[in-house]
Amino acid sequence: MVNGKEKLIVAIDTDNFEKAKEMIDKLEDSVDIFKVGLEQYVATRGKTLDYLKEKGKKVFLDLKFHDIPNTMKSAVKAAVRDNVWLMTIHVSDMEGMRQCAEIAKEEAERLNIEKPLIVGVTVLTSLSNEDLEDIGCSMTAEELVIKRAKLAQKAGIDGVVCSAREVDKIVEICGDDFVTVCPGIRPATAEVGDQKRVVTPSDAIRRGAKYIVVGRPITQAENPKEAAESIVREIENA
């Protein structure tokens, strides 16, 4: 049976450190992996990341680095020194992604720590086909995700962030070892919010997602621990 706790990532999306600590404490027995995103990281100056490490939790640092190759490389190197488990960059130019993969390996070996996973953001789950058309992209979201997943694999990074709606095709093209992280996951009873390409936890796992990211359906639940454990069970039953 799949271990649901190894598949579930909980997003701590708040700009308040004390609220983040309170939520982590509520979930620490039920959740092993937490996502620290841009809002949380900037607002707390990285204190939440340090608190999670003190708790022995795996940290998904979701800052979506996107810049010229040298700047992305330097940011990845700094994140490796923070001993995060997984980090995001945008799928951009081949050279930038290649340098990120290379420096992560080199820095982890220098520090004698496990190399963090690097996954590339393909298309944000808040974007629809119409949104892409508005910004001048003639591809559908699915076509663009698949194109960028192939590019990320060719550049040597570990995987991609994608909607679970496209994950089965990515697994088919890029293989089972290619890491797929799927946000926009909502239990059937949860509100969709600002996400436009959403999938339930069980559907995501059946489609081949390696990890799923869940935020508000857990963190804004009346009982977050119970909500997390319910999703873990749903993953395992899938």
Side-chain angles (χ1 to χ4, degrees):
M1 178 186 285
V2 169
N3 184 334
K5 286 178 71 175
E6 293 179 354
K7 300 284 188 182
L8 174 64
I9 302 171
V10 173
I12 302 296
D13 294 327
T14 169
D15 62 0
N16 184 293
F17 178 56
E18 293 305 319
K19 286 182 180 178
K21 280 178 62 179
E22 182 181 350
M23 184 58 60
I24 292 163
D25 291 345
K26 285 180 180 178
L27 294 171
E28 66 176 322
D29 294 333
S30 307
V31 177
D32 288 337
I33 314 170
F34 290 85
K35 179 176 85 73
V36 176
L38 191 59
E39 175 191 24
Q40 173 59 223
Y41 189 83
V42 173
T44 68
R45 293 172 174 81
K47 288 193 292 184
T48 303
L49 187 154
D50 294 333
Y51 188 68
L52 285 166
K53 288 193 293 184
E54 287 174 16
K55 291 278 189 179
K57 298 300 181 181
K58 290 181 178 179
V59 177
F60 169 17
L61 184 64
D62 185 25
L63 301 185
K64 301 181 179 70
F65 301 140
H66 192 190
D67 214 303
I68 62 172
N70 192 59
T71 301
M72 287 175 68
K73 175 182 174 181
S74 297
V76 167
K77 184 177 181 180
V80 174
R81 291 200 297 267
D82 260 335
N83 200 18
V84 302
W85 168 73
L86 185 149
M87 72 180 85
T88 48
I89 65 175
H90 271 278
V91 174
S92 56
D93 62 287
M94 181 71 73
E95 181 60 18
M97 291 189 290
R98 187 194 65 76
Q99 287 190 28
C100 287
E102 188 176 82
I103 194 62
K105 182 173 183 292
E106 290 176 359
E107 189 68 0
E109 287 176 352
R110 186 184 73 81
L111 296 171
N112 195 29
I113 60 175
E114 185 176 354
K115 184 191 82 66
L117 297 169
I118 299 178
V119 292
V121 177
T122 51
V123 176
L124 296 172
T125 52
S126 61
L127 295 177
S128 65
N129 292 335
E130 292 74 19
D131 295 324
L132 291 174
E133 187 176 348
D134 286 344
I135 58 175
C137 179
S138 59
M139 293 182 178
T140 66
E142 181 178 297
E143 290 168 343
L144 187 56
V145 165
I146 291 169
K147 181 179 178 67
R148 287 179 172 174
K150 289 192 224 177
L151 190 67
Q153 186 176 48
K154 188 175 180 181
I157 63 174
D158 300 290
V160 291
V161 179
C162 62
S163 166
R165 292 188 179 186
E166 296 102 25
V167 71
D168 53 347
K169 295 179 178 66
I170 292 173
V171 172
E172 181 182 344
I173 292 166
C174 298
D176 290 334
D177 293 335
F178 195 61
V179 175
T180 47
V181 179
C182 297
I185 302 297
R186 294 287 187 273
T189 56
E191 292 185 6
V192 170
D194 61 357
Q195 303 285 4
K196 294 180 181 175
R197 296 178 4 257
V198 298
V199 172
T200 65
S202 55
D203 281 345
I205 295 302
R206 280 194 291 264
R207 291 177 189 219
K210 287 285 192 297
Y211 304 99
I212 64 169
V213 181
V214 183
R216 285 167 282 187
I218 291 175
T219 59
Q220 294 184 10
E222 187 174 331
N223 187 326
K225 184 177 187 295
E226 188 176 282
E229 290 172 351
S230 175
I231 291 175
V232 166
R233 287 193 299 272
E234 184 177 341
I235 291 170
E236 292 175 346
N237 290 334

